[in-house]
mmCIF file with all atom_site columns, all heavy atoms in Angstrom:
data_model
loop_
_atom_site.group_PDB
_atom_site.id
_atom_site.type_symbol
_atom_site.label_atom_id
_atom_site.label_alt_id
_atom_site.label_comp_id
_atom_site.label_asym_id
_atom_site.label_entity_id
_atom_site.label_seq_id
_atom_site.pdbx_PDB_ins_code
_atom_site.Cartn_x
_atom_site.Cartn_y
_atom_site.Cartn_z
_atom_site.occupancy
_atom_site.B_iso_or_equiv
_atom_site.pdbx_formal_charge
_atom_site.auth_seq_id
_atom_site.auth_comp_id
_atom_site.auth_asym_id
_atom_site.auth_atom_id
_atom_site.pdbx_PDB_model_num
ATOM 1   N N   . PHE G 1 12  ? 102.643 66.075 98.385  1.00 0.00 ? 68  PHE G N   1
ATOM 2   C CA  . PHE G 1 12  ? 102.926 67.387 99.163  1.00 0.00 ? 68  PHE G CA  1
ATOM 3   C C   . PHE G 1 12  ? 102.171 68.549 98.590  1.00 0.00 ? 68  PHE G C   1
ATOM 4   O O   . PHE G 1 12  ? 101.575 69.336 99.222  1.00 0.00 ? 68  PHE G O   1
ATOM 5   C CB  . PHE G 1 12  ? 104.400 67.659 99.188  1.00 0.00 ? 68  PHE G CB  1
ATOM 6   C CG  . PHE G 1 12  ? 105.197 66.805 100.141 1.00 0.00 ? 68  PHE G CG  1
ATOM 7   C CD1 . PHE G 1 12  ? 106.565 66.844 100.234 1.00 0.00 ? 68  PHE G CD1 1
ATOM 8   C CD2 . PHE G 1 12  ? 104.590 65.866 100.939 1.00 0.00 ? 68  PHE G CD2 1
ATOM 9   C CE1 . PHE G 1 12  ? 107.332 66.052 101.073 1.00 0.00 ? 68  PHE G CE1 1
ATOM 10  C CE2 . PHE G 1 12  ? 105.269 64.976 101.821 1.00 0.00 ? 68  PHE G CE2 1
ATOM 11  C CZ  . PHE G 1 12  ? 106.654 65.157 101.849 1.00 0.00 ? 68  PHE G CZ  1
ATOM 12  N N   . ILE G 1 16  ? 99.066  71.033 100.008 1.00 0.00 ? 72  ILE G N   1
ATOM 13  C CA  . ILE G 1 16  ? 99.111  72.501 100.007 1.00 0.00 ? 72  ILE G CA  1
ATOM 14  C C   . ILE G 1 16  ? 97.913  73.125 99.344  1.00 0.00 ? 72  ILE G C   1
ATOM 15  O O   . ILE G 1 16  ? 97.263  74.025 99.827  1.00 0.00 ? 72  ILE G O   1
ATOM 16  C CB  . ILE G 1 16  ? 100.443 73.022 99.403  1.00 0.00 ? 72  ILE G CB  1
ATOM 17  C CG1 . ILE G 1 16  ? 101.680 72.594 100.251 1.00 0.00 ? 72  ILE G CG1 1
ATOM 18  C CG2 . ILE G 1 16  ? 100.413 74.561 99.178  1.00 0.00 ? 72  ILE G CG2 1
ATOM 19  C CD1 . ILE G 1 16  ? 103.007 72.910 99.592  1.00 0.00 ? 72  ILE G CD1 1
ATOM 20  N N   . ILE G 1 81  ? 111.295 68.548 96.853  1.00 0.00 ? 137 ILE G N   1
ATOM 21  C CA  . ILE G 1 81  ? 110.770 68.091 98.074  1.00 0.00 ? 137 ILE G CA  1
ATOM 22  C C   . ILE G 1 81  ? 111.079 69.024 99.237  1.00 0.00 ? 137 ILE G C   1
ATOM 23  O O   . ILE G 1 81  ? 110.243 69.301 100.115 1.00 0.00 ? 137 ILE G O   1
ATOM 24  C CB  . ILE G 1 81  ? 111.332 66.656 98.353  1.00 0.00 ? 137 ILE G CB  1
ATOM 25  C CG1 . ILE G 1 81  ? 110.731 65.669 97.393  1.00 0.00 ? 137 ILE G CG1 1
ATOM 26  C CG2 . ILE G 1 81  ? 111.048 66.321 99.803  1.00 0.00 ? 137 ILE G CG2 1
ATOM 27  C CD1 . ILE G 1 81  ? 111.355 64.292 97.418  1.00 0.00 ? 137 ILE G CD1 1
ATOM 28  N N   . VAL G 1 82  ? 112.240 69.654 99.266  1.00 0.00 ? 138 VAL G N   1
ATOM 29  C CA  . VAL G 1 82  ? 112.634 70.626 100.292 1.00 0.00 ? 138 VAL G CA  1
ATOM 30  C C   . VAL G 1 82  ? 111.763 71.862 100.169 1.00 0.00 ? 138 VAL G C   1
ATOM 31  O O   . VAL G 1 82  ? 111.220 72.367 101.147 1.00 0.00 ? 138 VAL G O   1
ATOM 32  C CB  . VAL G 1 82  ? 114.076 71.018 100.246 1.00 0.00 ? 138 VAL G CB  1
ATOM 33  C CG1 . VAL G 1 82  ? 114.403 72.156 101.162 1.00 0.00 ? 138 VAL G CG1 1
ATOM 34  C CG2 . VAL G 1 82  ? 114.962 69.797 100.519 1.00 0.00 ? 138 VAL G CG2 1
ATOM 35  N N   . LEU G 1 83  ? 111.493 72.298 98.933  1.00 0.00 ? 139 LEU G N   1
ATOM 36  C CA  . LEU G 1 83  ? 110.642 73.491 98.696  1.00 0.00 ? 139 LEU G CA  1
ATOM 37  C C   . LEU G 1 83  ? 109.231 73.211 99.164  1.00 0.00 ? 139 LEU G C   1
ATOM 38  O O   . LEU G 1 83  ? 108.622 73.996 99.940  1.00 0.00 ? 139 LEU G O   1
ATOM 39  C CB  . LEU G 1 83  ? 110.641 73.830 97.252  1.00 0.00 ? 139 LEU G CB  1
ATOM 40  C CG  . LEU G 1 83  ? 109.638 74.975 96.825  1.00 0.00 ? 139 LEU G CG  1
ATOM 41  C CD1 . LEU G 1 83  ? 110.003 76.309 97.428  1.00 0.00 ? 139 LEU G CD1 1
ATOM 42  C CD2 . LEU G 1 83  ? 109.574 75.066 95.286  1.00 0.00 ? 139 LEU G CD2 1
ATOM 43  N N   . LEU G 1 84  ? 108.691 72.075 98.791  1.00 0.00 ? 140 LEU G N   1
ATOM 44  C CA  . LEU G 1 84  ? 107.341 71.644 99.095  1.00 0.00 ? 140 LEU G CA  1
ATOM 45  C C   . LEU G 1 84  ? 107.133 71.407 100.594 1.00 0.00 ? 140 LEU G C   1
ATOM 46  O O   . LEU G 1 84  ? 106.164 71.765 101.151 1.00 0.00 ? 140 LEU G O   1
ATOM 47  C CB  . LEU G 1 84  ? 106.889 70.485 98.291  1.00 0.00 ? 140 LEU G CB  1
ATOM 48  C CG  . LEU G 1 84  ? 106.636 70.806 96.804  1.00 0.00 ? 140 LEU G CG  1
ATOM 49  C CD1 . LEU G 1 84  ? 106.633 69.513 95.961  1.00 0.00 ? 140 LEU G CD1 1
ATOM 50  C CD2 . LEU G 1 84  ? 105.257 71.518 96.621  1.00 0.00 ? 140 LEU G CD2 1
ATOM 51  N N   . SER G 1 85  ? 108.045 70.641 101.187 1.00 0.00 ? 141 SER G N   1
ATOM 52  C CA  . SER G 1 85  ? 107.946 70.304 102.613 1.00 0.00 ? 141 SER G CA  1
ATOM 53  C C   . SER G 1 85  ? 107.999 71.550 103.468 1.00 0.00 ? 141 SER G C   1
ATOM 54  O O   . SER G 1 85  ? 107.230 71.619 104.455 1.00 0.00 ? 141 SER G O   1
ATOM 55  C CB  . SER G 1 85  ? 109.023 69.261 103.032 1.00 0.00 ? 141 SER G CB  1
ATOM 56  O OG  . SER G 1 85  ? 110.288 69.843 102.789 1.00 0.00 ? 141 SER G OG  1
ATOM 57  N N   . THR G 1 86  ? 108.843 72.475 103.167 1.00 0.00 ? 142 THR G N   1
ATOM 58  C CA  . THR G 1 86  ? 108.949 73.736 103.920 1.00 0.00 ? 142 THR G CA  1
ATOM 59  C C   . THR G 1 86  ? 107.617 74.526 103.763 1.00 0.00 ? 142 THR G C   1
ATOM 60  O O   . THR G 1 86  ? 107.083 75.035 104.738 1.00 0.00 ? 142 THR G O   1
ATOM 61  C CB  . THR G 1 86  ? 110.108 74.641 103.410 1.00 0.00 ? 142 THR G CB  1
ATOM 62  O OG1 . THR G 1 86  ? 111.271 73.799 103.468 1.00 0.00 ? 142 THR G OG1 1
ATOM 63  C CG2 . THR G 1 86  ? 110.264 75.843 104.363 1.00 0.00 ? 142 THR G CG2 1
ATOM 64  N N   . SER G 1 87  ? 107.157 74.651 102.497 1.00 0.00 ? 143 SER G N   1
ATOM 65  C CA  . SER G 1 87  ? 105.858 75.308 102.335 1.00 0.00 ? 143 SER G CA  1
ATOM 66  C C   . SER G 1 87  ? 104.678 74.629 102.985 1.00 0.00 ? 143 SER G C   1
ATOM 67  O O   . SER G 1 87  ? 103.792 75.267 103.513 1.00 0.00 ? 143 SER G O   1
ATOM 68  C CB  . SER G 1 87  ? 105.605 75.396 100.785 1.00 0.00 ? 143 SER G CB  1
ATOM 69  O OG  . SER G 1 87  ? 106.590 76.184 100.131 1.00 0.00 ? 143 SER G OG  1
ATOM 70  N N   . LEU G 1 88  ? 104.760 73.280 103.031 1.00 0.00 ? 144 LEU G N   1
ATOM 71  C CA  . LEU G 1 88  ? 103.642 72.600 103.693 1.00 0.00 ? 144 LEU G CA  1
ATOM 72  C C   . LEU G 1 88  ? 103.605 72.855 105.151 1.00 0.00 ? 144 LEU G C   1
ATOM 73  O O   . LEU G 1 88  ? 102.566 73.064 105.726 1.00 0.00 ? 144 LEU G O   1
ATOM 74  C CB  . LEU G 1 88  ? 103.852 71.040 103.454 1.00 0.00 ? 144 LEU G CB  1
ATOM 75  C CG  . LEU G 1 88  ? 102.769 70.117 103.882 1.00 0.00 ? 144 LEU G CG  1
ATOM 76  C CD1 . LEU G 1 88  ? 101.462 70.373 103.085 1.00 0.00 ? 144 LEU G CD1 1
ATOM 77  C CD2 . LEU G 1 88  ? 103.180 68.646 103.645 1.00 0.00 ? 144 LEU G CD2 1
ATOM 78  N N   . PHE G 1 89  ? 104.848 72.929 105.735 1.00 0.00 ? 145 PHE G N   1
ATOM 79  C CA  . PHE G 1 89  ? 104.914 73.306 107.122 1.00 0.00 ? 145 PHE G CA  1
ATOM 80  C C   . PHE G 1 89  ? 104.376 74.702 107.436 1.00 0.00 ? 145 PHE G C   1
ATOM 81  O O   . PHE G 1 89  ? 103.632 74.886 108.395 1.00 0.00 ? 145 PHE G O   1
ATOM 82  C CB  . PHE G 1 89  ? 106.372 73.198 107.580 1.00 0.00 ? 145 PHE G CB  1
ATOM 83  C CG  . PHE G 1 89  ? 106.542 73.596 109.003 1.00 0.00 ? 145 PHE G CG  1
ATOM 84  C CD1 . PHE G 1 89  ? 106.344 72.687 110.081 1.00 0.00 ? 145 PHE G CD1 1
ATOM 85  C CD2 . PHE G 1 89  ? 107.079 74.892 109.356 1.00 0.00 ? 145 PHE G CD2 1
ATOM 86  C CE1 . PHE G 1 89  ? 106.567 73.139 111.417 1.00 0.00 ? 145 PHE G CE1 1
ATOM 87  C CE2 . PHE G 1 89  ? 107.240 75.259 110.662 1.00 0.00 ? 145 PHE G CE2 1
ATOM 88  C CZ  . PHE G 1 89  ? 106.984 74.366 111.657 1.00 0.00 ? 145 PHE G CZ  1
ATOM 89  N N   . ILE G 1 90  ? 104.708 75.648 106.561 1.00 0.00 ? 146 ILE G N   1
ATOM 90  C CA  . ILE G 1 90  ? 104.264 76.985 106.704 1.00 0.00 ? 146 ILE G CA  1
ATOM 91  C C   . ILE G 1 90  ? 102.744 77.080 106.593 1.00 0.00 ? 146 ILE G C   1
ATOM 92  O O   . ILE G 1 90  ? 102.076 77.710 107.385 1.00 0.00 ? 146 ILE G O   1
ATOM 93  C CB  . ILE G 1 90  ? 104.997 77.954 105.715 1.00 0.00 ? 146 ILE G CB  1
ATOM 94  C CG1 . ILE G 1 90  ? 106.461 78.009 105.994 1.00 0.00 ? 146 ILE G CG1 1
ATOM 95  C CG2 . ILE G 1 90  ? 104.271 79.363 105.694 1.00 0.00 ? 146 ILE G CG2 1
ATOM 96  C CD1 . ILE G 1 90  ? 107.220 78.783 104.933 1.00 0.00 ? 146 ILE G CD1 1
ATOM 97  N N   . VAL G 1 91  ? 102.266 76.437 105.565 1.00 0.00 ? 147 VAL G N   1
ATOM 98  C CA  . VAL G 1 91  ? 100.790 76.518 105.255 1.00 0.00 ? 147 VAL G CA  1
ATOM 99  C C   . VAL G 1 91  ? 99.940  76.013 106.384 1.00 0.00 ? 147 VAL G C   1
ATOM 100 O O   . VAL G 1 91  ? 98.937  76.568 106.720 1.00 0.00 ? 147 VAL G O   1
ATOM 101 C CB  . VAL G 1 91  ? 100.478 75.801 103.938 1.00 0.00 ? 147 VAL G CB  1
ATOM 102 C CG1 . VAL G 1 91  ? 99.036  75.540 103.804 1.00 0.00 ? 147 VAL G CG1 1
ATOM 103 C CG2 . VAL G 1 91  ? 101.027 76.563 102.765 1.00 0.00 ? 147 VAL G CG2 1
ATOM 104 N N   . MET G 1 366 ? 116.062 76.700 99.015  1.00 0.00 ? 422 MET G N   1
ATOM 105 C CA  . MET G 1 366 ? 114.649 76.377 98.839  1.00 0.00 ? 422 MET G CA  1
ATOM 106 C C   . MET G 1 366 ? 113.718 76.762 99.992  1.00 0.00 ? 422 MET G C   1
ATOM 107 O O   . MET G 1 366 ? 112.646 77.342 99.744  1.00 0.00 ? 422 MET G O   1
ATOM 108 C CB  . MET G 1 366 ? 114.442 74.916 98.550  1.00 0.00 ? 422 MET G CB  1
ATOM 109 C CG  . MET G 1 366 ? 114.992 74.464 97.150  1.00 0.00 ? 422 MET G CG  1
ATOM 110 S SD  . MET G 1 366 ? 114.164 75.369 95.745  1.00 0.00 ? 422 MET G SD  1
ATOM 111 C CE  . MET G 1 366 ? 115.529 76.383 95.210  1.00 0.00 ? 422 MET G CE  1
ATOM 112 N N   . PRO G 1 367 ? 114.134 76.613 101.260 1.00 0.00 ? 423 PRO G N   1
ATOM 113 C CA  . PRO G 1 367 ? 113.303 77.145 102.332 1.00 0.00 ? 423 PRO G CA  1
ATOM 114 C C   . PRO G 1 367 ? 113.174 78.668 102.298 1.00 0.00 ? 423 PRO G C   1
ATOM 115 O O   . PRO G 1 367 ? 112.072 79.184 102.759 1.00 0.00 ? 423 PRO G O   1
ATOM 116 C CB  . PRO G 1 367 ? 114.043 76.624 103.639 1.00 0.00 ? 423 PRO G CB  1
ATOM 117 C CG  . PRO G 1 367 ? 114.898 75.476 103.162 1.00 0.00 ? 423 PRO G CG  1
ATOM 118 C CD  . PRO G 1 367 ? 115.267 75.803 101.763 1.00 0.00 ? 423 PRO G CD  1
ATOM 119 N N   . ILE G 1 368 ? 114.127 79.347 101.885 1.00 0.00 ? 424 ILE G N   1
ATOM 120 C CA  . ILE G 1 368 ? 114.037 80.825 101.721 1.00 0.00 ? 424 ILE G CA  1
ATOM 121 C C   . ILE G 1 368 ? 113.018 81.204 100.727 1.00 0.00 ? 424 ILE G C   1
ATOM 122 O O   . ILE G 1 368 ? 112.220 82.101 100.884 1.00 0.00 ? 424 ILE G O   1
ATOM 123 C CB  . ILE G 1 368 ? 115.412 81.404 101.404 1.00 0.00 ? 424 ILE G CB  1
ATOM 124 C CG1 . ILE G 1 368 ? 116.486 81.102 102.430 1.00 0.00 ? 424 ILE G CG1 1
ATOM 125 C CG2 . ILE G 1 368 ? 115.343 82.952 101.139 1.00 0.00 ? 424 ILE G CG2 1
ATOM 126 C CD1 . ILE G 1 368 ? 117.862 81.530 102.109 1.00 0.00 ? 424 ILE G CD1 1
ATOM 127 N N   . ALA G 1 370 ? 110.398 79.329 99.900  1.00 0.00 ? 426 ALA G N   1
ATOM 128 C CA  . ALA G 1 370 ? 109.070 79.011 100.548 1.00 0.00 ? 426 ALA G CA  1
ATOM 129 C C   . ALA G 1 370 ? 108.677 80.169 101.468 1.00 0.00 ? 426 ALA G C   1
ATOM 130 O O   . ALA G 1 370 ? 107.488 80.548 101.439 1.00 0.00 ? 426 ALA G O   1
ATOM 131 C CB  . ALA G 1 370 ? 109.163 77.719 101.257 1.00 0.00 ? 426 ALA G CB  1
ATOM 132 N N   . TYR G 1 371 ? 109.602 80.651 102.294 1.00 0.00 ? 427 TYR G N   1
ATOM 133 C CA  . TYR G 1 371 ? 109.232 81.735 103.217 1.00 0.00 ? 427 TYR G CA  1
ATOM 134 C C   . TYR G 1 371 ? 108.941 82.993 102.480 1.00 0.00 ? 427 TYR G C   1
ATOM 135 O O   . TYR G 1 371 ? 108.081 83.734 102.891 1.00 0.00 ? 427 TYR G O   1
ATOM 136 C CB  . TYR G 1 371 ? 110.417 81.952 104.242 1.00 0.00 ? 427 TYR G CB  1
ATOM 137 C CG  . TYR G 1 371 ? 110.180 82.999 105.228 1.00 0.00 ? 427 TYR G CG  1
ATOM 138 C CD1 . TYR G 1 371 ? 109.255 82.774 106.265 1.00 0.00 ? 427 TYR G CD1 1
ATOM 139 C CD2 . TYR G 1 371 ? 110.796 84.244 105.149 1.00 0.00 ? 427 TYR G CD2 1
ATOM 140 C CE1 . TYR G 1 371 ? 109.003 83.770 107.223 1.00 0.00 ? 427 TYR G CE1 1
ATOM 141 C CE2 . TYR G 1 371 ? 110.536 85.213 106.084 1.00 0.00 ? 427 TYR G CE2 1
ATOM 142 C CZ  . TYR G 1 371 ? 109.671 84.995 107.109 1.00 0.00 ? 427 TYR G CZ  1
ATOM 143 O OH  . TYR G 1 371 ? 109.372 85.968 108.012 1.00 0.00 ? 427 TYR G OH  1
#
Side-chain angles (χ1 to χ4, degrees):
F68 286 177
I72 293 172
I137 289 171
V138 171
L139 173 66
L140 286 163
S141 59
T142 308
S143 297
L144 190 62
F145 176 82
I146 292 172
V147 164
M422 290 302 108
I424 300 175
Y427 182 72

